[in-house]
Amino acid sequence: MLVKHTVEEFSKVLASDAPAPGGGSVAALSGALGADLVTMVCNLSIGRENFEAHSDELKRSLAKAQALSASLLQRVDLDTEAFTGVMKAFKMPKATDEEKLARSAAIQAGYQDAIQSPLGIARECVAVLELAEGLLGRSNPNALSDLGVAAQQAYAGLEGAIMNVRINIPSIKDAAFVQVASSEVEELLGKGSAISERVHGYVTANIG
């Protein structure tokens, strides 16, 4: 499992000439790091008198951030597995008509999985962004820059995941699937971009 590597080991695997892990796994890791920073901000705020009024919200945010981190870390490996599935499908035999049909179906199924994986990453990165925004003005101001970095990491993960969706969409023959996926991409990117800008604006205005 990639997530069991040290940072140095993961870096070396990523930098190798192997086609996976790639951008999708890095996008998932970016989102997970964002969630971890949100968790840190919550831990630096819970139990402090100045934020007692937001205690329940902070605890809910903490639990959500921890769950998102765990899920996104799983997706580091799942995204690589999805890409590997496409590669395996292309290696299937194609000597007969039946083999060609089976191979074509497997390739299409593989590409759909390769799209669903980064879509899941994108959804969870938006959820991390929502958590970060919800903590603005309700958490320890000494960790405000960390909250800003959390949002940037989550937004980087979102954009990276979307790129991995878009590069695979042209290979999908199912028009209905493409329409649904493309529509969700635009919705997630628009929502995430707006939140990222609001968080960045608040942070930069209040850390100087």
Side-chain angles (χ1 to χ4, degrees):
M1 292 178 65
L2 293 169
V3 294
K4 298 299 182 182
H5 289 334
T6 65
V7 174
E8 185 176 4
E9 289 169 345
F10 181 83
S11 177
K12 287 181 178 179
V13 173
L14 188 65
S16 73
D17 59 359
S25 293
V26 171
L29 180 58
S30 292
L33 293 174
D36 291 335
L37 281 170
V38 170
T39 297
M40 185 188 79
V41 173
C42 289
N43 282 324
L44 289 171
S45 306
I46 293 171
R48 305 213 174 190
E49 186 177 350
N50 290 349
F51 314 108
E52 189 61 35
H54 307 296
S55 178
D56 289 343
E57 182 178 358
L58 286 165
K59 290 176 182 177
R60 285 194 295 270
S61 295
L62 173 65
K64 289 177 182 178
Q66 289 173 327
L68 284 166
S69 174
S71 181
L72 283 160
L73 283 177
Q74 284 186 323
R75 292 185 184 280
V76 171
D77 282 293
L78 291 175
D79 191 80
T80 297
E81 291 171 12
F83 181 77
T84 301
V86 175
M87 296 175 64
K88 286 181 178 178
F90 271 105
K91 293 178 181 179
M92 290 175 63
K94 52 180 178 178
T96 67
D97 288 341
E98 286 185 356
E99 286 178 345
K100 288 177 182 178
L101 286 172
R103 178 176 177 273
S104 179
I107 289 172
Q108 285 299 302
Y111 272 123
Q112 289 193 16
D113 286 343
I115 283 177
Q116 291 292 359
S117 176
L119 267 179
I121 295 169
R123 294 182 194 114
E124 293 187 345
C125 284
V126 169
V128 174
L129 281 162
E130 289 174 331
L131 287 178
E133 183 177 29
L135 293 179
L136 296 177
R138 301 179 179 88
S139 55
N140 193 327
N142 294 322
L144 185 57
S145 60
D146 300 297
L147 201 56
V149 175
Q152 288 194 330
Q153 284 291 126
Y155 187 62
L158 168 62
E159 284 202 311
I162 294 303
M163 289 178 191
N164 278 267
V165 173
R166 285 177 167 164
I167 198 170
N168 287 313
I169 277 182
S171 300
I172 301 293
K173 296 178 181 178
D174 186 334
F177 180 94
V178 169
Q179 182 178 5
V180 171
S182 298
S183 177
E184 184 172 9
V185 160
E186 295 305 319
E187 180 181 351
L188 289 169
L189 196 54
K191 187 174 185 179
S193 177
I195 296 174
S196 178
E197 288 180 9
R198 290 196 295 268
V199 174
H200 184 267
Y202 182 95
V203 171
T204 54
N206 287 275
I207 62 174

